Amino acid sequence: MPVKEFKTIITDKSVLIGPDSEQDNIIFALESSCDETAAAIVKNGREVLANVVASQIKTHIEFGGVVPEVAAREHLEAINLVISQAFEQANIKGEEITAFAATVGPGLVGSLLVGLNAGKSLALAYDKPFIGVNHLNAHVCANYLNTDLKPPFVALLISGGHTQIIEVKSYSEQTIIGETIDDAIGEAYDKVARLIGLPYPGGVNLDKLAQTGNPFAFKLPEAKLKNEYDFSFSGLKTASLQLIQKLKKEYTELPKADIAASFQENVTSTLFKKTKKAADNINAKTIALAGGVAANSEIRRKFFELQNQGFKIYAPEIKYCTDNAAMIASSAYFLANTTDSISVEVFSRMH
Ligand code: KG4
Ligand code: ZN
């Protein structure tokens, strides 16, 4: 089974950041990897003092999805505003910040550069350390915001770009034990949403429609894989397309809600089964959901039911499931070390 470790990017100023620090750590973070421009200020990795998100959804509706060039330009227009709003919301000055942080990847390079350069500039201007943050580590850390969650636990990271089961052994160790071999779950949601004619952003609209349909109306296939914790959604996408084409011939009006509900039942039970198996095998009694798709109503319902079997289930508030900067600040706190990386560059993919 492939085991990959996330790499944390570290700083060169000798300031101890994280749970071992003896002083309060106030981290200012920026996020601009995809279609949200966000700034946040978080104390000691958990207490959100400010959280500002400028969404580009309205712009991208026009194009039916995210156009990288358009996204980068929108980030540039929004970044200064979200920075000043975050300082205002927290009622904090730059001098009071312990360290500045920003997402370095994975994401759209042009978009990442906007947040990264703004974050580095702030660090230089206030003479503070800079911490580059991995967006995926950060999604998991969203579970620390306003909670008392402590490792060890198993995390299910489900977003527009990734689908991973992660073993979190300690604050600084996140090990991937399973992941998608093709499409990400959010991508599958967005593609099937488009196939049944739902507007962008597809995932949340499909979720809403699914709640009005019959989850057992249509049977869709489930991939069988060598690593029992891995996922594959490309076959399901093709099967959904074939089902929709067949139903279009049979029905005058496409039973959209039943298709949505059947798709949702298929993917949520796969995610649930595999994560539960990983938790059982590792002997973990705590599971944390993360990423944009963790906002999904059915995923939350299935996992929260496990609380009746002695499990502790965590899922971030919806605003911390989708992209935000509070999770970046939390990750900077929990995964940073004592040195800094003002020279860090952006990266688009994990491997
Ligand atoms: O984590 P995120 O905001 O961005 C990435 O880092 O990818 O995740 C975005 C993904 C999109 O594919 C979106 O359609 C999906 O999360 N999503 C949902 C729901 N809300 C957002 N998918 C299913 N059900 C939802 N309620
Ligand atoms: Zn994300």
Side-chain angles (χ1 to χ4, degrees):
M1 185 191 315
V3 174
K4 288 176 217 102
E5 298 276 343
F6 284 116
K7 282 212 177 63
T8 317
I9 292 135
I10 311 198
T11 71
D12 59 20
K13 282 204 168 63
S14 301
V15 175
L16 189 58
I17 287 166
D20 296 333
S21 168
E22 278 168 11
Q23 295 140 306
D24 279 343
N25 286 177
I26 298 178
I27 306 218
F28 185 110
L30 293 170
E31 152 64 34
S32 67
S33 65
C34 187
D35 55 356
E36 330 275 358
T37 322
I41 303 176
V42 177
K43 186 171 164 185
N44 297 334
R46 296 188 189 266
E47 196 186 327
V48 183
L49 305 179
N51 182 51
V52 182
V53 182
S55 170
Q56 302 182 0
I57 284 184
K58 274 204 198 112
T59 310
H60 297 309
I61 282 176
E62 224 180 288
F63 299 98
V66 180
V67 180
E69 271 304 307
V70 177
R73 209 173 328 127
E74 294 258 326
H75 284 303
L76 258 182
E77 276 169 30
I79 196 87
N80 285 340
L81 195 63
V82 298
I83 292 171
S84 52
Q85 281 183 355
F87 276 125
E88 210 170 289
Q89 226 180 63
N91 196 17
I92 273 179
K93 294 191 190 67
E95 294 79 12
E96 297 170 78
I97 301 293
T98 314
F100 289 86
T103 312
V104 292
L108 303 169
V109 167
S111 295
L112 286 163
L113 279 169
V114 176
L116 180 70
N117 287 327
K120 283 180 177 179
S121 309
L122 285 165
L124 286 171
Y126 290 105
D127 194 25
K128 303 284 178 179
F130 176 78
I131 303 161
V133 172
N134 179 306
H135 185 87
L136 304 181
N137 288 143
H139 266 302
V140 174
C141 291
N143 282 285
Y144 298 130
L145 298 170
N146 304 329
T147 72
D148 57 358
L149 171 66
K150 288 183 186 67
F153 59 90
V154 167
L156 173 66
L157 169 54
I158 38 183
S159 75
H162 297 85
T163 312
Q164 298 175 336
I165 299 178
I166 298 162
E167 187 180 358
V168 184
K169 290 188 195 141
S170 68
Y171 286 119
S172 57
E173 271 176 288
Q174 295 190 6
T175 307
I176 303 164
I177 56 171
E179 64 187 326
T180 183
I181 58 163
D182 42 55
D183 293 355
I185 177 70
E187 239 177 307
Y189 257 98
D190 294 339
K191 278 179 191 160
V192 172
R194 208 172 302 155
L195 287 177
I196 54 177
L198 299 175
Y200 169 91
V204 64
N205 287 322
L206 197 152
D207 183 11
K208 272 191 208 136
L209 184 63
Q211 290 170 44
T212 67
N214 172 8
F216 304 104
F218 306 109
K219 183 121 186 70
L220 288 161
E222 194 188 323
K224 297 263 175 297
L225 298 161
K226 236 177 23 210
N227 173 3
E228 59 182 344
Y229 306 143
D230 276 350
F231 301 94
S232 165
F233 297 111
S234 73
L236 174 65
K237 199 180 60 194
T238 312
S240 305
L241 173 65
Q242 285 164 347
L243 173 71
I244 290 164
Q245 284 169 339
K246 181 171 146 269
L247 294 174
K248 271 186 181 158
K249 284 184 200 141
E250 288 170 12
Y251 290 78
T252 43
E253 201 175 321
L254 197 65
K256 290 183 180 180
D258 286 349
I259 301 169
S262 302
F263 169 83
Q264 177 135 298
E265 176 56 28
N266 178 295
V267 291
T268 56
S269 31
T270 303
L271 293 166
F272 175 78
K273 251 188 337 206
K274 294 194 179 220
T275 312
K276 166 83 166 44
K277 191 171 250 177
D280 285 343
N281 290 348
I282 292 168
N283 225 348
K285 277 292 188 191
T286 305
I287 298 175
L289 307 178
V293 186
N296 185 269
S297 63
E298 184 58 19
I299 286 174
R300 289 170 97 94
R301 195 192 63 75
K302 280 193 165 69
F303 277 96
F304 276 106
E305 244 178 37
L306 277 180
Q307 300 207 123
N308 303 327
Q309 296 176 37
F311 279 85
K312 277 185 103 172
I313 305 298
Y314 286 81
E317 284 174 55
I318 306 290
K319 65 181 175 199
Y320 300 132
C321 282
T322 45
D323 291 347
N324 65 87
M327 68 182 194
I328 306 299
S330 182
S331 183
Y333 175 81
F334 285 110
L335 282 104
N337 244 308
T338 49
T339 38
D340 153 79
S341 63
I342 201 75
S343 57
V344 65
E345 298 295 337
V346 297
F347 67 94
S348 63
R349 299 185 69 85
M350 285 295 289
H351 16 259

